[in-house]
Amino acid sequence: MNKRSDPGLVRPYVKAGGRLRASQRLALIALVVPGGGTMPDPGPEHGQIMALFGTQGTMSVAEIAAYIGVPPSVTRILVSDLIDHGCLAVHTADRPDTSVLEEVLRGLHKLVA
């Protein structure tokens, strides 16, 4: 029988409470912001995520995964938990004015031509 060399190693599905799917549909580029709610019994990873927002204002799911060292699929589940309890919210940005983007594109074309 193989023994693990790192006794602190925890399988990702354990960190997600055995769940394989998040309750929210979150893209890795989805931006989340603090929501002000509280979670009754947060796990250690939930606490790590919330601690990040003490120093950061808005973060993507991918950034959160990188900072806490958890696979993105697990991070989606953990972030979904926090959204469900109102601790985090998905940031929805207004669509940019396309006329500004078209002007920038024309300027770039002039630079290359």
Side-chain angles (χ1 to χ4, degrees):
M1 176 159 40
N2 287 337
K3 290 193 175 204
R4 300 230 180 247
S5 60
D6 183 4
L9 181 66
V10 178
R11 296 259 185 214
Y13 65 83
V14 173
K15 292 181 180 188
R19 293 167 293 150
L20 300 176
R21 296 194 195 280
S23 60
Q24 307 279 328
R25 289 191 69 169
L26 295 171
L28 288 176
I29 60 170
L31 297 176
V32 291
V33 295
T38 58
M39 191 169 182
D41 189 24
E45 288 79 16
H46 294 107
Q48 284 181 302
I49 293 170
M50 291 309 297
L52 289 173
F53 286 96
T55 58
Q56 306 285 333
T58 303
M59 296 180 71
S60 71
V61 174
E63 287 176 298
I64 295 169
Y67 277 119
I68 67 170
V70 174
S73 57
V74 174
T75 303
R76 282 182 176 140
I77 295 169
L78 298 171
V79 169
S80 289
D81 292 345
L82 293 166
I83 291 171
D84 291 344
H85 287 91
C87 300
L88 296 176
V90 178
H91 176 71
T92 54
D94 294 331
R95 293 187 65 152
D97 183 10
T98 56
S99 64
V100 173
L101 294 176
E102 288 170 357
E103 190 65 36
V104 170
L105 185 59
R106 278 193 291 276
L108 289 172
H109 282 292
K110 286 179 185 177
L111 287 173
V112 197

